[in-house]
Amino acid sequence: MKLSRPIRSIIKYFTGKRISTSSLQFRLTLELVAISILGLGSVAFWAGWQMEQNLVAAHKQTLEYIAMRFPEQIQLYSEMGMLEIGLERTISKVSAPGLMVWVKSPDGRLLGQSIHPDSSVPEIGNMTALSEVPEKPQVVRFGDRDIVLCGSPLVLNGKSLGKLYLSQDITEDWQKLNAGLWRLLLVSILAIAILIAAISTRIRKALKPLEQMSQVAGAISADDLAGNLKGAKLQLHRAPDEILGLVQAFNEMLFRLSAAWEQQRQFVGNVSHELRTPLTIVVGYLQSLLRRGTNLSAYQQQALETATAETERTIRMLQDLLDLARADSGNLHFRLNPIMLNTLVVEVAAMSQKVSNRQINVLATDEDVVTCADQDRLQQVLINLVDNAIKYSSPKESVDLVLEKTEKYAMIHVRDRGIGIPLQHQNRIFERFYRVDESMTRSRDGTGLGLAIAKSLIEGMEGKITLRSKPGEGSIFTITLPVWKPPL
């Protein structure tokens, strides 16, 4: 719509924020403003039309009245003298500023006219030469003047004296009417602007509870559902009944989600704990068979090795699930102490290089970098990230561990030059069991929970983990932790 841009600008001016054309606030404001414009426009148009009709009707009635009384006036003045004198006196009597009167005989000869036509408008004096004049008063344009003109038969005592012509100059009245209409238009525009401001402000206040609901819904996290639901609960007291009903349904939905989340967490934790013990026994027996199975065939040996590897992988996945369940419930405890990251990074690089026989480069600042964290948990996360970098990069490519420090934060970058991660998958890479490409990752060892656990552990130590990646060029996982400052 053509009105959307100026109306959106006015709404932005009064609300202080940009409004989307697809928002409910904009649509309601636009519809109400359109109705207001239509209503005010209709009233203004009707008022202008009515003023114009009243102006024209008043002058028409004046001319009709003069034409009706003209024969009586002639007869009155003729009784005191000749007909020509009566006609002249009658014309002089009815003449007025802006009003011109003239009479023509049946053969078109001018019998009399107003003595003082408007000398400033030469066209007025030429009207006596008009050959066709309407019998009923009508508004005509004569030069640059607006004239009410009529010509009616003049009959006295049943005898036709010719035709009476009347013209009333309404140019000044018409100009005053137009000026009044322009003022009415300006007042209407001002009223529309005020209405837009009032309507947009009122709608914004009316939709405030919905905006609060949207903010609460966007701020709810797994921690809120797990145990801090009271902080995410909507509490509105001055909203309309319809909004309060929606708020109540929203809070009930949050309660049901919290209960379902708690049941899922308990189920995962219980299943992980209960299955880990028998699987540990199974893998123990399998390893014992492998050590003592000197008389096993090659097929049996391979089958036992596969069963042992898959059982160990299942145990690791159950342990990861148990860790995540503990993190969700807030039962994952951290031993937070000052850690020298320079030393930790070197140790992680040495361990990973020894196990994988891959080149791990350490690029650390000369300045000591100390943070407050759980050393075992942080080491677990770094080993996981380095292990992923090794798995998803070429054996000829090295992996870099880069340590940086700013005034407030310490950053550890794990950089590889591998296959990379497409942009559409980067936002979901830290989700549980999420894999970028099953065909690409199925053959690689892993549970699909490593990055989810790493995110939970880092966030539990008041840090964050982020990803930058480009397909074909590699990935960079960055761990950011607050720098530890000794108490004064």
Side-chain angles (χ1 to χ4, degrees):
M1 296 180 66
K2 294 182 179 179
L3 292 176
S4 62
R5 181 171 297 178
I7 291 178
R8 183 167 54 185
S9 301
I10 295 175
I11 296 175
K12 180 182 177 183
Y13 175 79
F14 285 102
T15 59
K17 61 181 181 180
R18 182 179 295 275
I19 300 297
S20 172
T21 55
S22 60
S23 67
L24 179 60
Q25 178 179 349
F26 178 82
R27 290 183 177 181
L28 287 176
T29 303
L30 183 61
E31 291 173 3
L32 291 178
V33 167
I35 294 174
S36 302
I37 292 176
L38 182 61
L40 286 175
S42 300
V43 171
F45 177 80
W46 179 85
W49 178 82
Q50 191 67 33
M51 291 168 62
E52 178 183 342
Q53 294 301 312
N54 291 338
L55 174 65
V56 174
H59 288 290
K60 286 182 178 180
Q61 290 176 0
T62 300
L63 296 188
E64 289 175 350
Y65 179 77
I66 293 174
M68 181 183 64
R69 295 294 306 275
F70 199 84
E72 298 177 5
Q73 295 289 334
I74 294 177
Q75 186 174 3
L76 177 63
Y77 288 114
S78 297
E79 291 176 355
M80 298 180 291
M82 297 178 62
L83 179 63
E84 290 79 2
I85 297 176
L87 179 61
E88 182 179 349
R89 289 181 178 180
T90 302
I91 293 176
S92 177
K93 180 67 176 179
V94 301
S95 295
L99 175 64
M100 185 175 177
V101 183
W102 70 96
V103 179
K104 286 186 177 182
S105 64
D107 58 0
R109 182 169 50 87
L110 184 63
L111 298 179
Q113 66 174 356
S114 300
I115 301 175
H116 301 291
D118 192 346
S119 59
S120 63
V121 184
E123 294 86 352
I124 299 297
N126 299 329
M127 284 195 300
T128 57
L130 292 175
S131 58
E132 295 183 2
V133 177
E135 292 188 4
K136 295 293 183 180
Q138 293 184 9
V139 179
V140 296
R141 189 73 175 174
F142 198 76
D144 60 349
R145 313 296 292 182
D146 293 302
I147 305 296
V148 179
L149 182 64
C150 68
S152 59
L154 182 58
V155 179
L156 183 62
N157 296 326
K159 181 181 180 181
S160 176
L161 299 180
K163 203 167 186 179
L164 171 66
Y165 297 91
L166 300 172
S167 70
Q168 177 72 50
D169 188 357
I170 62 171
T171 304
E172 293 184 2
D173 294 337
W174 201 269
Q175 291 174 350
K176 292 179 181 179
L177 174 64
N178 289 334
L181 293 178
W182 276 109
R183 286 194 295 270
L184 180 61
L185 177 61
L186 293 177
V187 171
S188 300
I189 293 175
L190 179 61
I192 289 172
I194 295 175
L195 278 175
I196 292 175
I199 290 173
S200 61
T201 302
R202 185 66 189 91
I203 290 178
R204 178 171 58 87
K205 290 182 179 180
L207 296 180
K208 189 69 174 178
L210 295 179
E211 184 178 354
Q212 293 177 356
M213 290 183 63
S214 177
Q215 292 174 354
V216 172
I220 292 177
S221 62
D223 294 334
D224 298 320
L225 293 176
N228 193 25
L229 190 57
K230 292 182 179 180
K233 190 175 181 180
L234 264 181
Q235 301 199 3
L236 299 175
H237 303 290
R238 297 183 179 179
D241 293 341
E242 295 82 0
I243 300 297
L244 289 177
L246 181 61
V247 169
Q248 183 179 358
F250 182 79
N251 289 333
E252 291 175 356
M253 180 192 68
L254 289 180
F255 180 78
R256 292 193 297 270
L257 286 175
S258 178
W261 181 265
E262 179 65 19
Q263 292 176 359
Q264 177 186 353
R265 182 189 60 79
Q266 291 180 357
F267 174 78
V268 171
N270 293 337
V271 169
S272 301
H273 185 271
E274 295 298 328
L275 290 180
R276 188 177 55 170
T277 300
L279 286 176
T280 302
I281 297 174
V282 170
V283 78
Y285 278 110
L286 291 174
Q287 291 175 348
S288 177
L289 284 175
L290 284 174
R291 288 194 299 268
R292 299 178 182 179
T294 56
N295 57 346
L296 295 175
S297 65
Y299 175 78
Q300 292 173 334
Q301 183 80 15
Q302 182 180 4
L304 285 175
E305 291 176 352
T306 302
T308 302
E310 289 299 319
T311 305
E312 291 176 346
R313 180 177 177 274
T314 304
I315 292 174
R316 289 196 301 273
M317 183 174 63
L318 291 174
Q319 182 61 47
D320 291 342
L321 286 172
L322 187 58
D323 289 340
L324 286 173
R326 289 171 178 170
D328 292 338
S329 62
N331 295 326
L332 191 61
H333 302 290
F334 296 91
R335 296 190 296 269
L336 302 179
N337 296 298
I339 301 173
M340 180 71 71
L341 293 182
N342 307 66
T343 305
L344 180 63
V345 169
V346 172
E347 291 176 354
V348 170
M351 289 190 320
S352 300
Q353 185 169 331
K354 184 177 180 180
V355 173
S356 62
N357 294 322
R358 292 279 296 275
Q359 180 65 34
I360 311 295
N361 300 322
V362 177
L363 306 174
T365 177
D366 295 333
E367 183 181 2
D368 291 340
V369 183
V370 182
T371 187
C372 188
D374 187 320
Q375 182 168 348
D376 293 336
R377 303 289 190 185
L378 183 56
Q379 185 177 14
Q380 175 186 349
V381 172
L382 286 175
I383 291 175
N384 191 346
L385 294 178
V386 172
D387 184 53
N388 284 341
I390 292 173
K391 288 179 182 178
Y392 298 106
S393 60
S394 172
K396 298 180 181 179
E397 299 289 346
S398 61
V399 175
D400 298 334
L401 274 174
V402 183
L403 178 62
E404 294 180 347
K405 178 185 178 183
T406 63
E407 183 179 355
K408 295 182 179 180
Y409 299 100
M411 290 172 288
I412 305 174
H413 307 283
V414 180
R415 180 172 60 199
D416 66 71
R417 299 169 182 82
I419 58 178
I421 301 172
L423 181 62
Q424 63 269 24
H425 297 285
Q426 294 180 18
N427 291 333
R428 301 187 60 191
I429 197 66
F430 294 102
E431 294 182 7
R432 302 172 189 186
F433 298 107
Y434 183 78
R435 294 181 181 272
V436 175
D437 188 353
E438 285 289 339
S439 62
M440 190 187 311
T441 59
R442 186 182 298 275
S443 61
R444 295 180 169 90
D445 187 22
T447 62
L449 296 171
L451 291 178
I453 294 175
K455 184 175 184 293
S456 298
L457 294 179
I458 294 300
E459 290 179 351
M461 292 182 282
E462 299 182 356
K464 66 178 182 178
I465 181 170
T466 57
L467 166 66
R468 287 183 300 160
S469 183
K470 190 173 183 179
E473 296 183 7
S475 304
I476 302 176
F477 286 88
T478 300
I479 298 173
T480 303
L481 295 167
V483 171
W484 179 75
K485 295 183 179 179
L488 298 177

